[in-house]
Amino acid sequence: MPKISSHADSLPANQIREITQAAWATPGAIVLSIGEPGFPVARHVLEAGMAALDRDETNYTPNAGIAPLREAFAARFSAQNAVDVDPGRVYVTAGAQQGLHLAMSLLLDVGDEVLIPNPGYPTFGMTAGLLHAVPVEYPLHAEHGFQPRVKDLEELLSSRTRVIVLNSPSNPLGAVFSEGLTRELMEFARAHDLWVISDECYESFTYDVPHVSPARFDRPGADRVFTSITLSKTYGLTGIRVGALITPPGMQQQLDNVMESIVSCVAASSQYSALAALTGPQDYVATALSHYRSNRDAASAVLQSLGIDFLDAEGAFYLWADLSHATDGDVRKWVHVLLRERGVAVAPGTAFGSIGEGWIRISLCGDSAELIDGLSRLPARPRGDDADLNQD
């Protein structure tokens, strides 16, 4: 038969799904490899979606989404980030991933370069590749707390660099950008006339530090930030598939055209569920934040007892841990051995880039007892090995 396109054929396998699907097929496995919130969805959110179906709200909506939902997203983002966002700048998307795709589709030509983090979420590079753009990885190293440095970014610039992707709180790292770093990164983008795509999926979950959106430092008349947010993590709505892309002003027609060519619009019933989540009781968010913090602290204690180095998580719901003493230089292979021999699944660090070799991502969003049990099965670091990332 005819060949498929080279850019589709060259997409790498998703190592997170690879180990998770193996775990789902393993009876009794403890699955710590995927970021799936474990709480039931709030009843008023479910009822809003069902009521929309009962009203036969099954037609197309505007490309950008229903007006009340755009207004709710704008009001929430404005209040949380001390910025004034007009609802006309809000595009309702099928989750944050579609928001990233929508933004990149608007900003990148064939051969353009986009700066993405390493370690970073794998679809940053995958999406760029599907658009015939070139992902260029900027390093996040342990010795710098897995935070980006402008010095490293400067060295990667070329005449084709168009976009930088920022992600705070970070998946997989749990790292959070400070206000000073966020401002510095925005100054870098302005100095080199780059667009900024900010992935803020975990903006509701930070621990003792604030979430700082790059949009706070955008300049009216010279706007350059696209912010992708989602309700998947915040309200446990991973299957409803609703997020939003907060855009610079004046792009409505271009965004309508791109949105029409991709999905036309998000399902109406999902949008009404999302509206109920944003405007109704917020108990779910508070409960989830408390649970994730408790799990983070419990998991940190287990890792410390085993002598395993890890990055203190300031946000999101993951721990980034160094298992290089056990992985023999191939963490992707090792996680499958761990699943087969000890019945626990974690995501290999190489799912997020080459700097993740020897590291694992541990999801903190599930049952606390299972989390502790699963982590207790990790191999302890031999005494005498250096381990200082999480030291006071």
Side-chain angles (χ1 to χ4, degrees), residues 110-392:
V110 174
D112 281 349
E113 295 178 356
V114 51
L115 299 172
I116 65 170
N118 174 11
Y121 196 64
T123 61
F124 296 153
M126 294 167 72
T127 303
L130 277 175
L131 296 169
H132 301 272
V134 181
V136 176
E137 298 176 345
Y138 59 86
L140 306 177
H141 289 300
E143 57 265 33
H144 304 129
F146 291 101
Q147 299 278 2
R149 298 193 306 166
V150 168
K151 174 184 176 182
D152 295 326
L153 294 168
E154 296 274 4
E155 294 175 355
L156 296 171
L157 289 170
S158 80
S159 61
R160 299 294 297 176
T161 310
R162 296 288 181 269
V163 177
I164 180 171
V165 174
L166 303 176
N167 178 211
S168 176
S170 166
N171 176 10
L173 303 169
V176 175
F177 296 170
S178 68
E179 179 176 340
L181 177 58
T182 306
R183 188 189 300 273
E184 187 180 5
L185 292 168
M186 283 296 294
E187 290 172 353
F188 163 80
R190 275 193 292 269
H192 300 284
D193 199 25
L194 304 181
W195 294 105
V196 175
I197 298 176
S198 180
D199 177 355
E200 300 178 27
C201 286
Y202 298 90
E203 42 86 25
S204 291
F205 304 123
T206 62
Y207 313 106
D208 305 317
V209 296
H211 167 65
V212 181
S213 175
R216 284 181 50 186
F217 305 107
D218 224 350
R219 292 180 178 173
D223 309 77
R224 65 183 66 249
V225 178
F226 287 75
T227 307
S228 185
I229 56 179
T230 183
L231 304 189
S232 294
K233 311 300 183 181
T234 308
Y235 298 97
L237 302 179
T238 52
I240 295 292
R241 308 307 306 140
V242 178
L245 185 68
I246 314 295
T247 73
M251 296 188 173
Q252 182 166 341
Q253 187 58 62
Q254 296 96 323
L255 283 161
D256 278 348
N257 294 343
V258 176
M259 188 72 170
E260 179 67 25
S261 71
I262 298 174
V263 297
S264 295
C265 62
V266 175
S269 59
S270 291
Q271 293 191 55
Y272 282 103
S273 288
L275 179 60
L278 287 171
T279 60
Q282 299 297 298
D283 307 63
Y284 180 98
V285 183
T287 299
L289 177 61
S290 176
H291 177 73
Y292 302 152
R293 179 194 290 271
S294 176
N295 272 6
R296 180 202 62 167
D297 294 345
S300 297
V302 174
L303 294 179
Q304 287 173 335
S305 72
L306 295 171
I308 294 174
D309 200 6
F310 62 94
L311 180 67
D312 284 325
E314 293 185 324
F317 45 62
Y318 305 105
L319 275 183
W320 184 246
D322 182 3
L323 269 293
S324 57
H325 61 281
T327 58
D328 197 26
D330 190 346
V331 71
R332 182 180 184 181
K333 177 180 178 181
W334 178 82
V335 296
H336 288 273
V337 174
L338 180 71
L339 173 62
R340 184 172 62 252
E341 295 184 353
R342 303 196 181 186
V344 59
V346 293
T350 48
F352 309 97
S354 58
I355 295 175
E357 180 57 68
W359 294 76
I360 61 171
R361 188 196 71 175
I362 301 159
S363 175
L364 304 172
C365 51
D367 177 77
S368 301
E370 277 202 346
L371 172 66
I372 294 170
D373 184 7
L375 294 185
S376 69
R377 303 181 193 184
L378 294 177
R381 181 187 293 272
R383 291 186 179 184
D385 281 9
D386 291 334
D388 57 13
L389 252 187
N390 52 294
Q391 300 301 309
D392 293 334

